[in-house]
Amino acid sequence: GESVGLHLPTLSVQEGDNSIINCAYSNSASDYFIWYKQESGKGPQFIIDIRSNMDKRQGQRVTVLLNKTVKHLSLQIAATQPGDSAVYFCAEINQAGTALIFGKGTTLSVSS
Amino acid sequence: SQTIHQWPATLVQPVGSPLSLECTVEGTSNPNLYWYRQAAGRGLQLLFYSVGIGQISSEVPQNLSASRPQDRQFILSSKKLLLSDSGFYLCAWSVRGEAFFGQGTRLTVV
């Protein structure tokens, strides 16, 4: 079946630290993955995406790593800031190729 | 630029009452449209998706239905709400994979 999950429901870090949020997916046929950030009471916002023909992609302060061998995805946030506090979801395209399937989310808390 | 409108932002409805949530998209044609539900502290569960007018796919059996009467309009409905229908409902659209979300509707069934 299709399922995407995250290893840890919560992650607490100090301001300035690097954060790593992990995700495991089960559909080996998935070829597109996205990380979303959701702040309280708002809809998810796109952070960064990666296709299966890549193993790393970098954005501004964020890096996504894809390990297809073990079906693992991670989001690295450099120099984490209080404004990064939110719930982070990974998502993959479903088998029909028509919809994103989300994992359960990791709540990132950044303390000053 | 593309925008997505979802309303209302909050809604309190009694058990057994009907529901209609509306979502419209601007600035794009023939998008894929989605309804997700997010229970408190949980992830996003895909409820329905549509790849075109009148084409609705349901991901999970439930007390809800969806319709797409126009290319950029997606409606989530229920004839009789249950307490378990409470949650945060999100409409989204996508073209070529990435999804963009509305601001959500907080539904409380009392």
Side-chain angles (χ1 to χ4, degrees), chain A residues 2 32 34 36 38 41-46 49 51 89 93-94 96-105, chain B residues 32 34 36 38 41-46 49 51 59 88 90 94 96-104 106:
Chain A
E2 302 173 6
Y32 183 54
I34 303 178
Y36 283 87
Q38 186 178 23
K42 298 182 179 179
Q45 290 186 306
F46 171 90
D49 60 357
R51 297 209 175 264
F89 295 94
I93 291 288
N94 68 349
T98 52
L100 287 171
I101 305 298
F102 286 81
K104 294 181 180 178
Chain B
N32 290 343
Y34 311 93
Y36 288 87
Q38 186 175 32
R42 302 288 297 278
L44 287 88
Q45 180 186 36
L46 179 62
Y49 67 90
V51 298
E59 288 292 294
F88 190 50
L90 288 154
S94 78
R96 293 182 297 277
E98 181 187 344
F100 299 91
F101 287 85
Q103 288 302 298
R106 174 75 58 192

Side-chain angles (χ1 to χ4, degrees), chain B residues 5-93:
Chain B
H5 302 280
Q6 184 183 341
W7 67 93
T10 59
L11 189 60
V12 180
Q13 291 283 100
V15 170
S17 65
L19 172 74
S20 181
L21 301 181
E22 188 164 345
C23 173
T24 59
V25 180
E26 296 177 359
T28 186
S29 296
N30 197 31
N32 290 343
L33 296 174
Y34 311 93
W35 279 109
Y36 288 87
R37 177 171 60 199
Q38 186 175 32
R42 302 288 297 278
L44 287 88
Q45 180 186 36
L46 179 62
L47 302 177
F48 300 96
Y49 67 90
S50 171
V51 298
I53 296 173
Q55 300 178 61
I56 309 295
S57 296
S58 174
E59 288 292 294
V60 294
Q62 59 213 316
N63 184 42
L64 302 167
S65 62
S67 61
R68 185 171 178 175
Q70 300 179 45
D71 181 45
R72 287 171 283 181
Q73 184 184 29
F74 205 24
I75 299 172
L76 182 69
S77 304
S78 174
K79 292 182 180 178
K80 290 185 178 181
L81 284 169
L82 305 172
L83 287 174
S84 58
D85 291 324
S86 294
F88 190 50
Y89 289 83
L90 288 154
C91 178
W93 72 271

